[in-house]
Amino acid sequence: MNIERLLQEALGSGQGRRQNPGQGGSTLPGGLAGGAAAGGLVALLLGSKKARKLGGKALTYGGMAAVGGLAYKAWRDWQQNRPSGTEADPLHLPPPPADSGFDMAQERDSAGQDFRLAVLRAMILAAKSDGHIDPEEHGRIRDRIEALGLGAEEKAALFDSFAAPADPAEAARPARTDAQRAELYLASALAVDPDTPDERRYLDDLARHLALPEGLRGHLDLEAEAARRQVGA
């Protein structure tokens, strides 16, 4: 399977680099920001909500790079008993160290697959948890996948993720380390705004299935809220 091609089409990653406003021209990998401009499938899913939510906007802006940075920041705060969610620019945190377990491109899931696939699937399942995707929107997503010219494996992976029910147990299953559990939860928390009963219930169930270390979820939630606050300001 061509993981890079799959992520490029799903997230818009590799579609260029995004200017980081107010930081002297520094840049951030495009991630879902590229997807928003270039028609990334997850950006399409997040943008199909009746009222676009800030969690989806944060993912569109920061992409998978933001997931790793935010999860690692929450993890370190939890370890050192420091407050989370107080940084001025949460969507532009430094990348996690290569040996931290939070460098998703170097990690494998419980089945030995590229861990980024599990993070992508977690985003998609969480984004569907409020039941907002109607048959017409399913059709648009299916048509977009068909038009991408992906290989059979890549296309099947996307069809499977978009067709799967929003099952928190399935989203949690690939995690094999606490770092991966934190990233799966953070990605899911950013794919929604927990402002409906269905979304709150989904995140509660996901945290339970992930068996996050005691206290860590609170730090992850604070980082996700900081990201939503940044894009909503």
Side-chain angles (χ1 to χ4, degrees):
M1 181 184 294
N2 187 335
I3 301 297
E4 296 299 333
R5 175 72 193 283
L6 176 60
L7 292 175
Q8 179 179 353
E9 298 296 355
L11 302 178
S13 57
Q15 303 279 352
R17 298 178 68 84
R18 185 177 186 88
Q19 189 75 16
N20 180 355
Q23 296 208 359
S26 60
T27 56
L28 177 75
L32 280 177
L41 287 166
V42 174
L44 176 65
L45 175 63
L46 294 169
S48 66
K49 289 178 179 287
K50 294 180 175 65
R52 187 171 181 84
K53 299 197 172 189
L54 293 178
K57 188 176 179 183
L59 272 177
T60 301
Y61 187 78
M64 199 168 281
V67 173
L70 288 164
Y72 180 68
K73 174 66 163 55
W75 174 267
R76 294 291 291 159
D77 289 342
W78 169 71
Q79 284 188 320
Q80 298 175 15
N81 196 28
R82 299 183 307 200
S84 290
T86 59
E87 57 273 13
D89 195 7
L91 290 175
H92 294 90
L93 293 171
D99 61 352
S100 65
F102 285 84
D103 184 354
M104 285 184 277
Q106 305 302 318
E107 290 296 310
R108 297 283 164 174
D109 68 13
S110 60
Q113 302 297 311
D114 190 309
F115 182 62
R116 291 173 294 179
L117 294 177
V119 176
L120 171 62
R121 188 176 179 87
M123 292 177 187
I124 294 171
L125 295 182
K128 295 168 57 178
S129 65
D130 66 355
H132 73 278
I133 302 297
D134 59 29
E136 180 180 352
E137 288 167 327
H138 271 296
R140 286 196 298 124
I141 291 168
R142 176 171 288 275
D143 290 345
R144 184 72 64 89
I145 294 173
E146 290 285 6
L148 291 175
L150 291 168
E153 280 189 293
E154 293 82 8
K155 189 182 295 186
L158 285 176
F159 277 135
D160 182 56
S161 292
F162 279 99
D167 181 356
E170 172 65 17
R173 180 185 53 77
R176 62 176 181 81
T177 68
D178 284 344
Q180 291 184 354
R181 294 181 184 96
E183 286 173 322
L184 288 175
Y185 181 85
L186 197 286
S188 301
L190 282 178
V192 302
D193 287 358
D195 56 0
T196 71
D198 286 341
E199 288 171 324
R200 289 193 295 271
R201 186 180 309 112
Y202 182 89
L203 290 181
D204 288 345
D205 289 346
L206 178 61
R208 177 170 54 83
H209 284 292
L210 288 169
L212 293 170
E214 184 177 357
L216 177 58
R217 182 188 177 184
H219 287 272
L220 294 166
D221 283 334
L222 286 170
E223 289 299 335
E225 178 57 32
R228 286 191 288 267
R229 192 165 56 244
Q230 182 177 6
V231 296

